[in-house]
DNA sequence: CTCCAGGCAATTG
DNA sequence: CAATTGCATGGA
């Protein structure tokens, strides 16, 4: 690995399963490194980052800058993977007692962390996630980065490597619909919605909502997000959960709806996913999972359901 | 061929 | 209210 990179070894006490976390469907910008097998690569805050599991319970982080988002790398990583959250708080003793079979299945996934990712990036990527498979979402996101993100060329002893950062709000705010649509599965409506959202972010309206999202009540936050065309309840909840650190937000998609019915016998989960039913389903889920970490638990269950029950492999 | 993938918004009954 | 349809593509 290039010697002008800063290297950090981070002890995680096996509370972070790096691969499962990065490829559990919450992030679409991390990739397998083309030049260095075993490493995952991404760009955050104009900083190139490589990560891998160095040995059991220890993560190796390589970066070309000492700080990310004004935090020392180790502090950033700790926060990025929400390592302050204790698994025991996520699933209550009551849950483990009442649903022993589900707990047996999901326990191996307790080292899947819900990440705190960049809000704008999450808004764009989850606006790309409607009614299509994971691989198509990933393709759209990488095309958007290639066309509108800043290009980084990294020269190493193994050759040259090209990476693209995620586009800034300004870059997407000034994009043309026809051009962006080539990156969004040829969906012009989706492209136009993303441009509109980026302009709202540029204006400061959306950006401000992100700053105050921690204290804001969830319903107010959702209203602000849903005011934008292309963002409904589900995507708003995904933005809150994965981009704003709101671990109480509980997005319900086709998979979550399935496990709510199969695992917890929530009646309304067998009916159609209308807005009214969506809200009822959330209330029922909170009774079982608790409120504070409903979404955090939900993501573990989501990943577990797809892998263990549906036997899905695409991420 | 049909059906379904991390939905949303507009329209119709 | 609920039910239906357009949006787009690809893999099973």
């Amino acid at each position: 690995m290039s010697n002008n990179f800063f290297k950090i070894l981070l002890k995680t006490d096996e509370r972070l399963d790096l691969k499962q976390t990065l490829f559990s469907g919450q992030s679409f910008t991390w990739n397998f490194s083309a030049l260095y097998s075993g490493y995952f690569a991404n760009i955050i805050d104009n900083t190139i980052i490589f990560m891998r599991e160095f040995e059991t319970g220890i993560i190796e982080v390589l970066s070309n800058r000492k700080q990310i988002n004004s935090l020392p790398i180790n502090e950033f990583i700790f926060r990025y993977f929400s390592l302050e959250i204790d698994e025991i708080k996520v699933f209550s003793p009551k849950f483990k007692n009442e649903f022993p079979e589900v707990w047996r299945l999901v326990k191996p996934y307790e080292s899947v962390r819900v990440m705190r990712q960049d809000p704008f990036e999450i808004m764009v990527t989850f606006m790309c996630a409607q009614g299509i498979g994971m691989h198509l979402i990933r393709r759209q996101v990488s095309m958007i980065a290639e066309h509108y993100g800043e290009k980084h060329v990294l020269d190493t002893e193994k050759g040259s490597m090209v990476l693209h950062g995620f586009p800034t709000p300004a870059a997407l705010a000034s994009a043309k619909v026809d051009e962006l649509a080539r990156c969004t599965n040829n969906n012009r409506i989706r492209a136009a919605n993303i441009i509109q959202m980026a302009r709202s972010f540029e204006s400061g309206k959306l950006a401000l909502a992100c700053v105050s999202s921690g204290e804001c009540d969830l319903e107010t936050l959702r209203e602000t997000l849903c005011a934008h065309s292309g963002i409904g309840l589900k995507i708003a909840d995904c933005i809150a959960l994965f981009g704003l650190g709101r671990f109480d937000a509980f997005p319900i998609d086709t998979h979550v709806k399935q496990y709510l019915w199969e695992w917890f016998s929530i009646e309304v989960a067998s009916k159609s996913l209308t807005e009214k039913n969506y809200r009822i389903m959330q209330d029922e889920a909170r009774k079982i999972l608790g409120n504070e970490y409903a979404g955090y638990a939900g993501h573990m269950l989501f990943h577990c359901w797809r892998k263990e029950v549906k036997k899905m492999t695409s991420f």
Side-chain angles (χ1 to χ4, degrees), chain A residues 49 66 74 83 114 186 195 199 207 215 255 259 264:
Chain A
I49 307 173
K66 281 187 172 177
N74 60 333
L83 284 165
V114 174
N186 291 320
I195 291 168
R199 287 178 179 167
E215 303 83 49
H255 300 291
Y259 79 60
F264 305 121

Side-chain angles (χ1 to χ4, degrees), chain A residues 25 28 124-144 181-188 190-191 194 234-235 253-255 302 306 312 314-315:
Chain A
F28 296 95
V124 176
T125 60
F126 278 90
M127 286 176 80
C128 289
Q130 300 175 16
I132 51 179
M134 290 276 195
H135 68 286
L136 269 181
I137 299 168
R138 193 169 277 279
R139 189 176 78 181
Q140 291 176 77
V141 172
S142 57
M143 283 181 76
I144 289 172
R182 289 205 290 271
C183 305
T184 58
N185 214 26
N186 291 320
N187 189 325
R188 293 169 49 82
R190 179 174 302 160
I194 289 172
K234 188 268 173 182
I235 291 177
D253 60 39
T254 160
H255 300 291
F302 165 84
R306 285 175 48 105
M312 301 182 82
S314 68
F315 292 98

Side-chain angles (χ1 to χ4, degrees), chain A residues 142-211:
Chain A
S142 57
M143 283 181 76
I144 289 172
E146 279 166 28
H147 284 262
Y148 297 95
E150 189 177 340
K151 185 178 177 182
H152 295 253
V153 180
L154 180 62
D155 290 315
T156 75
E157 65 272 21
K158 285 193 178 183
S160 187
M161 181 175 192
V162 177
L163 292 163
H164 290 270
F166 198 82
T168 61
L172 290 181
S174 60
K176 296 283 167 279
V177 174
D178 289 332
E179 204 178 296
L180 182 57
R182 289 205 290 271
C183 305
T184 58
N185 214 26
N186 291 320
N187 189 325
R188 293 169 49 82
I189 296 172
R190 179 174 302 160
N193 286 341
I194 289 172
I195 291 168
Q196 277 304 112
M197 184 279 290
R199 287 178 179 167
S200 174
F201 203 99
E202 268 290 276
S203 77
K205 183 182 157 194
L206 250 183
L208 196 65
C210 294
V211 173

Side-chain angles (χ1 to χ4, degrees), chain A residues 17-42:
Chain A
D17 185 328
L18 193 59
K19 185 182 176 187
Q20 294 297 320
T21 297
L22 295 178
F23 294 89
S24 60
Q26 58 181 315
S27 177
F28 296 95
T29 54
W30 283 91
N31 285 300
F32 298 105
S33 171
L35 280 181
Y36 297 97
S37 69
Y39 285 92
F40 305 104
N42 199 0

